[in-house]
Amino acid sequence: MSEHTDEITRALVQAADAARYAPSIHNTQPWRWVVRAGRLELFGVVERQLREQDPSGRMLLLSCGTALHHAQVALSAEGWRHEVRRPAGEPLATVRPIEREAVHPEATRHFQMLQVRRTDRRTVTDDQIPEETLRHLIKATEEGGAWLHVLRRDQVIELAAAVDQSQQAQDTDERISQERAEWVGGDRPEGTGIPASALPEEVPLTTVAERDFQSRGTLPAGAGHDQAATYAVLYGTGDDAVDWLRGGEALSRLWLAATEQAVSLLPLSGPVEIPSTRQTLRGMLAGTGYPFLAVRLGTLDPAHSAPPKTPRLPAGQVIEVHSEAGRIAHGGAEDAETGEAKP
């Protein structure tokens, strides 16, 4: 194996390793990476799909999209210019490094944000997000291939009603409730799901309710009612599988940009999972797009430390290596299992 091939293979394995830290619905991590000669392939894993809550697989695709963007961030942080292809089928995407170039400082910052990003379900402060910051987040979303519609006050009330409606619909579905209980609460030693340490002790009394997992955690909910929070709908112009994958990439780009600006982002996917409330969200867009999910944006309390990291599957369970690069890939996988993503 040539030195150049060796270098590319190592970069691809490390990119797949970094992608393990991407956010996913209920922390299901429904992705699998295959490293082949000169390329990285992304596959969805139906065994980790929420079959009852997400029968269409939209949230699975959105989750895989966040992982795809994380992998690209890792490659860019190593100075690899790359191309991404998203065929309509399996693999969901293929990433190919093209050539090595000077590392841009922005790429390094993005990778740093990848490592510190969290899903924080606590309430946010009473400080409004500055307009300049909000414009920056909107631009980051658009650069990621999607759009962010900031809701007016009357639309926030409409979103609150949609969230309540979707919560009630899922709470009364016994199959969804059973599935949710399999993924939420406890210590999660198997490496997936949402542990009690990432859940608030009680659901905060906010204008737009957070998802009630019917499982209490150990994280203090925080004071306040999110009166200063900004709510928005992340959306795209299409509703096909590739559109949802691109939506996940845009969500990851938005989330990393928000983290860099000390802005908390909380995804609200419940209204999108129920057809009637998803139509409500689409009405907020005046029928011009298809909603991927709603998000809450708010200012972090500097006195609060970040919530604990949620667990991740070992690298060996999500990264496969084909070709003579097995020795190098095995070394990268061992690095991954230390729990630290590496550029």
Side-chain angles (χ1 to χ4, degrees), residues 108-175:
T108 301
R109 290 199 308 272
H110 288 169
F111 185 82
Q112 292 170 342
M113 295 305 103
L114 178 155
Q115 299 182 84
V116 302
R117 181 212 61 81
R118 298 285 194 281
T119 301
D120 195 336
R121 295 177 174 84
R122 294 172 293 187
T123 55
V124 296
T125 71
D126 292 331
D127 296 325
Q128 294 279 352
I129 298 175
E131 285 295 326
E132 182 180 355
T133 299
L134 191 56
R135 286 194 296 270
H136 174 74
L137 299 181
I138 292 172
K139 181 181 178 182
T141 305
E142 294 174 353
E143 290 173 346
W147 286 264
L148 194 66
H149 172 66
V150 178
L151 300 183
R152 305 185 305 268
R153 180 60 185 174
D154 61 308
Q155 291 180 317
V156 171
I157 300 303
E158 193 175 4
L159 172 63
V163 167
D164 287 343
Q165 184 180 341
S166 63
Q167 180 78 51
Q168 291 174 15
Q170 294 188 342
D171 285 348
T172 55
D173 189 314
E174 185 177 350
R175 293 174 302 178

Side-chain angles (χ1 to χ4, degrees), residues 19-20 22-24 29-33 42-43 45 48 63-64 67 318:
R20 293 188 306 120
S24 58
Q29 303 163 58
W31 48 69
R32 177 171 63 90
W33 294 98
L42 170 63
F43 295 83
V45 179
R48 292 198 293 276
S63 300
C64 286
V318 294

Side-chain angles (χ1 to χ4, degrees), residues 259-274:
T259 303
E260 186 176 2
Q261 298 292 321
V263 171
S264 171
L265 185 152
L266 180 66
L268 303 169
S269 62
V272 180
E273 296 160 7
I274 303 297

Side-chain angles (χ1 to χ4, degrees), residues 21-217:
Y21 295 89
S24 58
I25 181 73
H26 290 14
N27 194 30
T28 50
Q29 303 163 58
W31 48 69
R32 177 171 63 90
W33 294 98
V34 176
V35 179
R36 301 189 190 275
R39 69 184 187 273
L40 181 63
E41 297 176 343
L42 170 63
F43 295 83
V45 179
V46 295
E47 291 80 8
R48 292 198 293 276
Q49 177 182 344
L50 300 177
R51 295 299 187 92
E52 303 299 333
Q53 183 177 316
D54 181 35
S56 67
R58 286 183 174 125
M59 290 299 130
L60 179 149
L61 290 166
L62 199 75
S63 300
C64 286
T66 66
L68 177 58
H69 180 257
H70 271 49
Q72 295 177 69
V73 168
L75 284 173
S76 296
E78 276 288 295
W80 283 103
R81 190 164 63 86
H82 55 274
E83 65 175 12
V84 181
R85 294 183 179 179
R86 305 168 185 82
E90 294 281 349
L92 298 174
T94 300
V95 184
R96 292 180 182 271
I98 299 174
E99 63 181 358
R100 203 79 179 266
E101 57 188 9
V103 178
H104 195 283
E106 183 181 57
T108 301
R109 290 199 308 272
H110 288 169
F111 185 82
Q112 292 170 342
M113 295 305 103
L114 178 155
Q115 299 182 84
V116 302
R117 181 212 61 81
R118 298 285 194 281
T119 301
D120 195 336
R121 295 177 174 84
R122 294 172 293 187
T123 55
V124 296
T125 71
D126 292 331
D127 296 325
Q128 294 279 352
I129 298 175
E131 285 295 326
E132 182 180 355
T133 299
L134 191 56
R135 286 194 296 270
H136 174 74
L137 299 181
I138 292 172
K139 181 181 178 182
T141 305
E142 294 174 353
E143 290 173 346
W147 286 264
L148 194 66
H149 172 66
V150 178
L151 300 183
R152 305 185 305 268
R153 180 60 185 174
D154 61 308
Q155 291 180 317
V156 171
I157 300 303
E158 193 175 4
L159 172 63
V163 167
D164 287 343
Q165 184 180 341
S166 63
Q167 180 78 51
Q168 291 174 15
Q170 294 188 342
D171 285 348
T172 55
D173 189 314
E174 185 177 350
R175 293 174 302 178
I176 291 180
S177 295
Q178 291 177 347
E179 180 180 66
R180 178 173 56 200
E182 294 174 1
W183 290 96
V184 180
D187 293 332
R188 316 306 305 176
E190 64 275 20
T192 58
I194 305 175
S197 60
L199 294 171
E201 295 172 334
E202 56 185 5
V203 179
L205 299 176
T206 54
T207 302
V208 178
E210 297 182 18
R211 189 193 291 272
D212 187 350
F213 290 101
Q214 302 296 320
S215 178
R216 296 297 172 258

